[in-house]
Structure formats: structure tokens, C-alpha cells
Amino acid sequence: MLTKENILTLLEEVKDPEIPVLSLVDLGVITGVEISDEDHVTVNMTPTFAGCPAMDYMKKDVERTLEKHGISKYTVNMTFDKPWDSNKLSDKGRQHLKEFGLAPPPKYDLILDLDILEHVKCPYCDSDNTDLRTPFGPTLCRSMHYCNNCKQMFEQFKPL
């Protein structure tokens, strides 16, 4: 019998193509799973950015994963009904980002200000003695920082 929990567990296999240690479930991109009486599975996804070049790839990867597990009746929707924000990252996802060498975005309440982007904890030595080098990283969702303690450059997954 198919359940929402079963589907979410299967979708843990689907990794972000830019951060392969992070599942789409932990990233918070999978925003809904519904199962009809006829075992038709509907997966709703919200990309991190409207112009994210990985959107089609992620959708296809979800479809391949469902098919691999014998689910042939499905619909995968990209939706912008509820915009993605970095608070949707799971605690497990934040830990995976840190282990990957990316500073996870801080959680925030209602208002996102520049102070959150500028003051980042180093994922290598946990120092707060860091500087924002540029808000523009190798992808839209990352910024570049420098740790004055361990002398390492690092990226932060931007808070949105």
C-alpha cells in the first residue's frame, strides 16, 4: 500500500544535482505528496529559484525514481504556489550542507536582512570571524565567504 511517508522515503534517493549530498526532500523542494484511491501519486515540487537551471533535471529524476520503484501512475508538478525559502531546509539537510563544506543558511523569522548574509559561521572550524567576499557564488543560491581563523574560502547556501 502506498503512503505519503513511503513516497517521501523513496524520494530521499533524489539528490540536488548541484549539491549531491542533499536530497530534494531535505532541501524542502518536495512540497507535497498525494495518493488517490487508484494509487495515482502526485508529487508537487517548488524550485529554489524561478530560473533554476536544474528544475527539469530534478523533475525527471523524481519521475525515474518513482518508476524504478514500480510506480507507473504519477504526476510530478512544478509549482510556485508556495515560494521556496531556506527555512524549508530540514535539520538533516543543514547538517549535510555543513559536512559538504557549505555554510547552511540560518533560520529566520519573517524578515530576512543583510546581516544574516554577512555574518556566517565557517563550516570548517565553526568560527564566526568571517567576511562576506561576494554575494555572488558559482550558482544563484550561493555566496562566497572567507574565514579569518582557518584562512579558508567557503560558500554559503544563501538564506532566502
Side-chain angles (χ1 to χ4, degrees):
M1 178 167 185
L2 293 175
T3 66
K4 177 180 177 178
E5 292 74 24
N6 297 130
I7 300 301
L8 289 172
T9 299
L10 297 177
L11 294 179
E12 286 279 339
E13 296 175 19
V14 183
K15 304 299 182 187
D16 182 298
E18 296 173 347
I19 309 169
V21 297
L22 195 59
S23 78
L24 297 188
V25 174
D26 286 326
L27 183 57
V29 168
I30 304 296
T31 54
V33 172
E34 299 166 17
I35 302 162
S36 74
D37 292 338
E38 296 83 34
D39 285 339
H40 183 96
V41 174
T42 302
V43 177
N44 292 317
M45 301 173 62
T46 300
T48 55
F49 284 92
C52 177
M55 286 189 317
D56 289 336
Y57 180 85
M58 291 187 295
K59 181 179 178 184
K60 291 284 185 208
D61 209 9
V62 167
E63 292 169 348
R64 280 190 293 268
T65 300
L66 293 172
E67 289 172 5
K68 179 175 93 174
H69 290 283
I71 299 166
S72 58
K73 296 186 290 186
Y74 61 82
T75 304
V76 179
N77 299 314
M78 280 290 179
T79 176
F80 296 93
D81 292 344
K82 298 176 194 170
W84 184 89
D85 65 67
S86 55
N87 283 338
K88 289 181 173 42
L89 272 163
S90 70
D91 290 336
K92 185 169 112 180
R94 290 172 190 281
Q95 184 60 37
H96 285 313
L97 284 174
K98 185 176 178 184
E99 291 165 359
F100 190 65
L102 287 169
K107 292 182 181 180
Y108 62 92
D109 293 322
L110 302 176
I111 299 172
L112 177 65
D113 68 36
L114 290 177
D115 195 50
I116 288 176
L117 183 60
E118 291 181 4
H119 297 95
V120 176
K121 188 174 280 218
C122 175
Y124 300 111
C125 72
D126 285 331
S127 170
D128 290 322
N129 186 15
T130 64
D131 296 317
L132 172 66
R133 288 294 170 95
T134 178
F136 308 104
T139 64
L140 292 172
C141 58
R142 300 186 207 178
S143 56
M144 299 298 297
H145 300 262
Y146 180 76
C147 179
N148 295 303
N149 282 14
C150 70
K151 311 293 186 216
Q152 292 280 335
M153 285 289 294
F154 65 93
E155 298 172 28
Q156 179 194 31
F157 196 90
K158 288 181 191 175
L160 298 173

